[in-house]
Amino acid sequence: MFEEWIDELCELLSIDPNDVDIDGLLDLSREAAHGIERRAAPVTTYLVGVAVGAGADAEEVMSKVSGLLEDRT
């Protein structure tokens, strides 16, 4: 069901699902939820998406955020 949802969502948003690091986003979301607090997870992943949508490199953004989370825990 999860994979179908992601495929449908990507199609709706005109995103190539191969361009999205789902596992990386899930890891980052988990780190935010456990390292900061639960509600930080969706906001963190949203802000990563905003940064990438504005032209930032996805791997670089996720690495920076992950580093920040490591510093906070």
Side-chain angles (χ1 to χ4, degrees):
M1 179 176 221
F2 176 75
E3 290 81 11
E4 291 173 1
W5 166 248
I6 297 302
D7 288 342
E8 287 181 47
L9 189 56
C10 284
E11 184 176 340
L12 177 72
L13 300 173
S14 301
I15 297 171
D16 182 348
N18 296 314
D19 291 340
V20 181
D21 180 3
I22 300 296
D23 290 334
L25 284 171
L26 290 172
D27 288 343
L28 195 63
S29 179
R30 185 187 72 248
E31 290 175 30
H34 295 290
I36 306 299
E37 67 174 81
R38 195 172 177 151
R39 63 187 180 157
V43 175
T44 300
T45 54
Y46 173 78
L47 291 174
V48 166
V50 169
V52 171
D57 179 74
E59 284 184 38
E60 185 177 325
V61 170
M62 290 198 309
S63 178
K64 285 181 178 180
V65 173
S66 183
L68 180 62
L69 286 164
E70 286 177 17
D71 291 345
R72 297 285 306 261
T73 56

